[in-house]
Amino acid sequence: MPVALGDYTHLPRRRKLVLDSVLPDTCHIAPFARATDAAGGWSESVGIYLEFEGSTDIPCRLDPTRHYRKEDIYGQELVVSEYTMWLPYEVAVLPDMHIEKDGARFEVRKLLNKQSNSVVQQVLLAEME
């Protein structure tokens, strides 16, 4: 009988541990729904919210410090409204999605880290005003 070796055997247990201890908050994620009119204008609204394990409350962790991008500084002080968020690996988040957390609104700018054998994914967010 074949025996599964390596991290794969521990992956479901590691993912459950992360959900229970590392991702304490919840957020709501949805794509933007964009529509154009006959005059060439467009409108934007929040689309249908993503679900994770049957709920729109998706476990997450928002880094309370601003995301630091060294390449943008060039020796000057720069105020950036970008943050890092961690989400479960299975959430199908894409750039240009809308995230709501504790009354704040964010837009996904970039997927920072999503590896095939990971338990969480990292995304770069921009705060919306």
Side-chain angles (χ1 to χ4, degrees):
M1 178 179 296
V3 176
L5 299 174
D7 286 340
Y8 179 76
T9 58
H10 302 289
L11 196 55
R13 185 174 35 193
R14 287 180 22 211
R15 286 186 176 165
K16 182 174 180 352
L17 178 66
V18 164
L19 288 176
D20 294 342
S21 61
V22 179
L23 303 176
D25 301 324
T26 60
C27 63
H28 298 94
I29 303 173
F32 285 107
R34 294 180 174 97
T36 57
D37 59 18
W42 57 277
S43 63
E44 184 174 83
S45 62
V46 177
I48 299 171
Y49 287 99
L50 299 180
E51 291 187 5
F52 177 72
E53 296 182 349
S55 173
T56 58
D57 292 330
I58 297 176
C60 68
R61 178 182 206 95
L62 182 65
D63 190 341
T65 59
R66 295 183 189 276
H67 182 78
Y68 175 73
R69 296 200 308 181
K70 180 179 174 184
E71 66 273 9
D72 290 345
I73 301 296
Y74 298 116
Q76 301 176 15
E77 184 175 341
L78 181 68
V79 176
V80 181
S81 59
E82 293 180 332
Y83 298 87
T84 305
M85 179 177 272
W86 286 266
L87 299 164
Y89 176 79
E90 299 89 348
V91 176
V93 66
L94 297 170
D96 197 31
M97 282 191 159
H98 174 84
I99 295 183
E100 296 172 6
K101 181 186 176 312
D102 298 333
R105 299 178 320 133
F106 302 92
E107 180 180 356
V108 177
R109 289 290 171 97
K110 184 178 177 181
L111 302 178
L112 295 175
N113 182 352
K114 186 166 185 176
Q115 300 172 359
S116 62
N117 209 16
S118 184
V119 293
V120 294
Q121 59 182 314
Q122 248 181 316
V123 296
L124 177 65
L125 302 179
E127 189 171 15
M128 298 172 65
E129 297 178 3

